[in-house]
Amino acid sequence: MMEAMVATASMSSRSILTVLTEDLLLRILDMLVDNSDRKSWLLVCKEFLRLESLHRRSLRVFRHDYLPRLLRRYQLLDLLDLSVCPSVDDATMVILFGSPNPSPCSTRWIKTLILSRACALGSGGLEVVVRSFPCLQEIDLSYCCGLEDRDVSALALVQGLKVLKLVKCLGVTDFGLAKIVVGCVRLESLNLKWCLKITDLGIELLSKKCTALRILDLSYLKVTNKSLHCISSLWRLEVLSMVGCSSIDDKGFHFLSNGNPLLQCVDVSRCDNVSSRGLLSIIRGHEGLQHITAGYCFSELSKPLVNRLSKLKHLKSISLYAARVSDWSLGTIGNNCKHLVEIGLSKCTGVTDLGIEMLVPGLAGLKILDLTCCHLITDVALSAIADSCKNLLCLNLESCTLITYMGLGRLGSCCPLLEELDLTDCLGVNDAGLEQLSRCLELVCLKLGLCANISDKGLIQIGYKCRNLLKLDLYRCTGIGDDGLAAIASGCKKLKRLNLSYCVEISDRGLENISSLEELFDLEIRRLVKITSVGLAALAAGCKSLAELDMKGCYSVCDAGLWVLAHYSSNIRQINLSNCRISDVGLCTAMGNMKCLQDAKLVDLTNVSVEGFELALRASCVRLKKLKLLSTLKFLLSSKLLEMLEARGCRIRWMEKALVLD
């Protein structure tokens, strides 16, 4: 009996964690989706740290000098993201992965590599990638504007490549594309958006070689109907995006009507020469279409097109931006397309309360509805939406000026799952409306920009009840002050993005309040003239996750504020200091000590000398990817500095304004 009691006492003294198996602990880790929770997990014990290293499958790196150590720790990665890592160039890739005897485990299992915005990357770096990632299936080189045909030809050796993104790779031509498609015949997804040098010739070869292609994006390319004729032979194609292809017309889309039997998603927005007849051709040959986007494409939703749309029984989303619609057309779509989960009517004329009342009754599964700039709708439409679409997740009502607190009350009582709501420039929204809206406890994104009739009283209700908010936009809400921010900071601890620009009543006390938001990632505080370096210091000391800061026109902030910001905010990647009254010392301190800084806007810094700009840019040139300066400085800064920035892949936007130095 005594032995049993001793054994029981011994078991009770042990931590419950010691009896959980590794499999159970990994299943628990699967359920931790919040970053703060996962960070807490890492701090428990060394065993939890080890399990996390086995569990992690993706890694986003902010500084490349940490990468070797991270790859030794995480040896089972599927995805490696270097898109936010400054100064990724050929030399960096050689240092990281070009060793004659690289670690066999460090990159062995990586299937997805993201190198977007690595503007200084060239053929040498890509050749190292090809050798070092034997299992690579997906690579993203979007916005690598310096890449040319010779550079991307290295990708031809990645024979297992299935997904390739080359968005805005402006130097890639048909020759470079030909090299890729000849070697990568297993490609299933290809994004060539904004690759302006690709023509019909390249698309023709692509269609012949990559017959397994399922997803293709040719947006803004200067291709013609000939390309569509070639694309029609891709019998596995499911998704086709051709936004802004102005050289394509209805005849081209006629080719698609007889091809691509598996086509499910098509986007022909901003195709200037395409009418409703062209879209009709696509629909006629593809009864299985699920997603259609045709914004800014034709002026009116014709009756034949509506009748054909009504026969798409599997249609899940439709976006018809800037077209004239009628009550009858909306009613016909709503009565027949019962599986719709997303409808986009942004800037469509003719959208009325009656049209919405006819559209929504049969759409119980509708989750996303965009009514941006539908100026005629009132609380009547909101009541119809609330009564019929109780599973609604996202509702855009920007510039719907006739809605009031009564309509918002219906949403608050009938749409408990609502997560995103855009009320920008809705002048009828007031504190009473926000109080009604605070019943939507699942809100994660709320946009209230230009709502001039709201104050701290309404915002306090949101702060106390909507505790899941991740994004809050209060742009030019001049009635908002420090007390409202105190309520938001107290209740919305998960907030990641906050826009307070031109909320002129906010002072240092307001910034001190939001300094408790540890997960705040993006903050806009333009023209907050009452804040000083004291408030900025409190913000920097508390918001350690801050990565994007826009403080344009904060006249009362001086060098002292930037000293503290540079010391505490080591993760800042994007900053706007335009129109701030800082000196050479402040600018050099900020630019030199923010080790992750990649994007800086430095316009109208009247207290900074040319020498100050020179020193600040030299201190940060290895990291900068984007820079905004006055055009006058183009002739005052040294040519060697500008050449060095360009060589590192930094894109400079020159503003045409006169330079004034105090």
Side-chain angles (χ1 to χ4, degrees):
M1 188 70 171
M2 182 61 71
E3 292 178 356
M5 291 177 65
V6 170
T8 302
S10 175
M11 285 293 292
S12 63
S13 65
R14 295 169 59 191
S15 168
I16 190 175
L17 296 178
T18 61
V19 297
L20 294 177
T21 64
E22 182 175 297
D23 181 60
L24 283 174
L25 289 173
L26 288 173
R27 290 177 66 182
I28 293 172
L29 190 54
D30 272 333
M31 302 175 70
L32 300 180
V33 295
D34 191 271
N35 283 335
S36 60
D37 293 337
R38 296 182 72 89
K39 288 179 180 178
S40 298
W41 171 283
L42 296 175
L43 299 175
V44 174
C45 61
K46 290 184 178 180
E47 178 63 11
F48 275 30
L49 187 66
R50 184 186 71 83
L51 288 175
E52 196 271 341
S53 68
L54 296 176
H55 181 269
R56 182 180 285 274
R57 293 295 179 267
S58 62
L59 182 65
R60 194 182 196 201
V61 183
F62 291 88
R63 292 180 57 178
H64 64 74
D65 45 329
Y66 293 155
L67 188 57
R69 185 176 64 182
L70 290 170
L71 289 178
R72 286 193 296 270
R73 177 177 167 186
Y74 300 110
Q75 297 194 359
L76 298 177
L77 293 174
D78 291 330
L79 183 150
L80 179 61
D81 185 352
L82 300 177
S83 62
V84 295
C85 193
S87 62
V88 174
D89 54 17
D90 291 350
T92 302
M93 300 302 284
V94 170
I95 293 172
L96 294 175
F97 307 114
S99 172
N101 298 303
S103 172
C105 298
S106 59
T107 59
R108 175 187 296 177
W109 308 115
I110 292 178
K111 297 177 182 178
T112 302
L113 182 62
I114 302 177
L115 291 169
S116 59
R117 301 189 187 278
C119 301
L121 194 64
S123 58
L126 288 178
E127 288 171 2
V128 170
V129 167
V130 170
R131 292 196 303 267
S132 304
F133 294 80
C135 294
L136 199 61
Q137 296 181 8
E138 178 177 350
I139 185 166
D140 186 351
L141 295 170
S142 300
Y143 302 99
C144 294
C145 302
L147 288 179
E148 297 182 349
D149 292 338
R150 177 176 175 271
D151 305 319
V152 297
S153 62
L155 298 175
L157 300 177
V158 190
Q159 297 182 358
L161 195 64
K162 294 182 178 181
V163 180
L164 177 60
K165 298 178 182 179
L166 295 172
V167 178
K168 216 167 188 178
C169 290
L170 302 176
V172 178
T173 71
D174 292 333
F175 181 77
L177 181 60
K179 287 279 189 178
I180 294 172
V181 301
V182 168
C184 305
V185 295
R186 298 180 185 177
L187 268 181
E188 297 179 5
S189 176
L190 179 61
N191 193 331
L192 297 172
K193 183 177 181 180
W194 285 111
C195 292
L196 301 180
K197 294 184 179 180
I198 301 294
T199 68
D200 292 334
L201 184 62
I203 303 304
E204 182 180 2
L205 184 59
L206 169 69
S207 302
K208 291 178 180 178
K209 293 294 183 180
C210 300
T211 56
L213 212 58
R214 294 187 303 107
I215 302 173
L216 180 61
D217 192 338
L218 303 179
S219 297
Y220 300 101
L221 268 62
K222 297 177 182 178
V223 293
T224 67
N225 294 340
K226 183 179 180 181
S227 287
L228 286 184
H229 185 265
C230 298
I231 291 170
S232 65
S233 65
L234 296 171
W235 66 277
R236 294 185 182 179
L237 193 66
E238 298 175 10
V239 180
L240 176 61
S241 182
M242 306 198 70
V243 179
C245 292
S246 56
S247 299
I248 290 174
D249 57 28
D250 293 343
K251 293 181 181 179
F253 284 117
H254 180 70
F255 292 126
L256 296 182
S257 64
N258 300 316
N260 315 116
L262 302 180
L263 194 64
Q264 297 178 15
C265 177
V266 62
D267 189 346
V268 295
S269 300
R270 299 185 185 277
C271 290
D272 299 333
N273 295 312
V274 174
S275 68
S276 58
R277 291 193 300 273
L279 184 58
L280 197 59
S281 297
I282 300 177
I283 297 174
R284 188 178 292 116
H286 302 91
E287 299 291 336
L289 273 175
Q290 297 181 16
H291 307 276
I292 297 175
T293 304
Y296 308 98
C297 200
F298 40 78
S299 60
E300 187 172 4
L301 195 59
S302 65
K303 187 173 182 179
L305 179 57
V306 173
N307 288 330
R308 181 60 64 174
L309 286 171
S310 67
K311 296 180 181 180
L312 298 178
K313 302 304 180 183
H314 302 288
L315 192 64
K316 294 182 179 179
S317 73
I318 181 170
S319 297
L320 302 168
Y321 303 136
R324 174 174 290 279
V325 299
S326 66
D327 297 338
W328 171 83
S329 61
L330 293 179
T332 303
I333 291 173
N335 289 332
N336 293 279
C337 303
K338 299 293 186 179
H339 297 289
L340 279 172
V341 295
E342 179 177 359
I343 299 175
L345 298 173
S346 174
K347 300 183 180 180
C348 285
T349 55
V351 179
T352 66
D353 290 340
L354 179 59
I356 297 299
E357 287 179 308
M358 295 174 66
L359 172 68
V360 297
L363 303 180
L366 191 66
K367 297 184 183 299
I368 302 173
L369 179 58
D370 188 352
L371 298 175
T372 298
C373 295
C374 294
H375 303 295
L376 300 179
I377 66 169
T378 69
D379 293 336
V380 175
L382 288 195
S383 295
I385 293 168
D387 291 338
S388 301
C389 308
K390 299 186 184 300
N391 294 314
L392 196 65
L393 298 179
C394 176
L395 179 60
N396 292 337
L397 296 170
E398 180 181 348
S399 297
C400 295
T401 55
L402 299 180
I403 64 174
T404 70
Y405 74 94
M406 296 178 65
L408 296 181
R410 296 292 293 162
L411 288 178
S413 59
C414 299
C415 300
L417 302 180
L418 194 64
E419 295 181 357
E420 299 183 29
L421 181 61
D422 189 347
L423 296 172
T424 302
D425 200 20
C426 292
L427 301 180
V429 175
N430 55 18
D431 291 336
L434 293 188
E435 184 176 0
Q436 297 286 349
L437 200 58
S438 65
R439 288 183 286 176
C440 297
L441 303 182
E442 300 301 320
L443 273 179
V444 295
C445 176
L446 179 59
K447 296 182 179 181
L448 299 169
L450 296 168
C451 291
N453 295 317
I454 64 173
S455 68
D456 288 343
K457 181 181 178 181
L459 196 61
I460 287 171
Q461 295 297 320
I462 297 293
Y464 285 162
K465 297 178 182 178
C466 302
R467 296 180 174 270
N468 293 319
L469 266 185
L470 300 178
K471 181 176 181 179
L472 179 62
D473 187 349
L474 298 171
Y475 176 80
R476 289 189 185 273
C477 293
T478 54
I480 299 299
D482 297 335
D483 293 337
L485 283 188
I488 293 296
S490 175
C492 307
K493 293 296 185 182
K494 299 178 181 179
L495 201 65
K496 296 182 182 297
R497 297 181 181 273
L498 179 60
N499 189 348
L500 301 174
S501 294
Y502 302 96
C503 296
V504 293
E505 296 301 318
I506 293 174
S507 67
D508 287 340
R509 186 164 68 89
L511 292 193
E512 290 170 1
N513 289 330
I514 64 174
S515 66
S516 62
L517 298 174
E518 296 181 356
E519 297 185 34
L520 192 64
F521 174 86
D522 180 3
L523 178 63
E524 296 185 43
I525 51 174
R526 286 192 180 198
R527 204 64 72 93
L528 299 192
V529 295
K530 290 186 177 181
I531 68 169
T532 69
S533 295
V534 174
L536 189 62
L539 177 75
C543 301
K544 297 296 180 62
S545 299
L546 197 62
E548 299 179 13
L549 177 63
D550 188 341
M551 48 183 289
K552 178 181 179 180
C554 292
Y555 301 130
S556 302
V557 174
C558 63
D559 291 344
L562 287 191
W563 274 80
V564 180
L565 188 67
H567 178 73
Y568 285 106
S569 301
S570 56
N571 292 323
I572 285 187
R573 299 199 306 273
Q574 180 176 316
I575 194 167
N576 189 349
L577 297 174
S578 299
N579 299 97
C580 289
R581 293 176 180 172
I582 57 176
S583 69
D584 293 0
V585 175
L587 182 62
C588 291
T589 300
M591 300 292 284
N593 289 291
M594 293 179 181
K595 301 301 182 183
C596 294
L597 187 64
Q598 299 177 31
D599 185 342
K601 296 179 177 65
L602 309 173
V603 179
D604 284 336
L605 299 181
T606 58
N607 292 339
V608 178
S609 66
V610 175
E611 291 76 14
F613 278 109
E614 185 89 18
L615 290 173
L617 294 178
R618 286 187 180 277
S620 56
C621 65
V622 296
R623 302 185 297 272
L624 288 175
K625 293 183 179 180
K626 293 177 68 177
L627 193 57
K628 188 175 181 181
L629 298 169
L630 287 179
S631 59
T632 315
L633 288 171
K634 184 189 300 187
F635 308 103
L636 299 176
L637 294 172
S638 68
S639 58
K640 289 185 178 180
L641 172 62
L642 297 178
E643 290 171 2
M644 183 163 49
L645 286 167
E646 184 178 350
R648 302 293 302 184
C650 179
R651 291 183 291 121
I652 304 177
R653 181 183 174 188
W654 300 102
M655 297 298 295
E656 297 292 338
K657 293 178 67 176
L659 177 65
V660 179
L661 298 176
D662 286 353

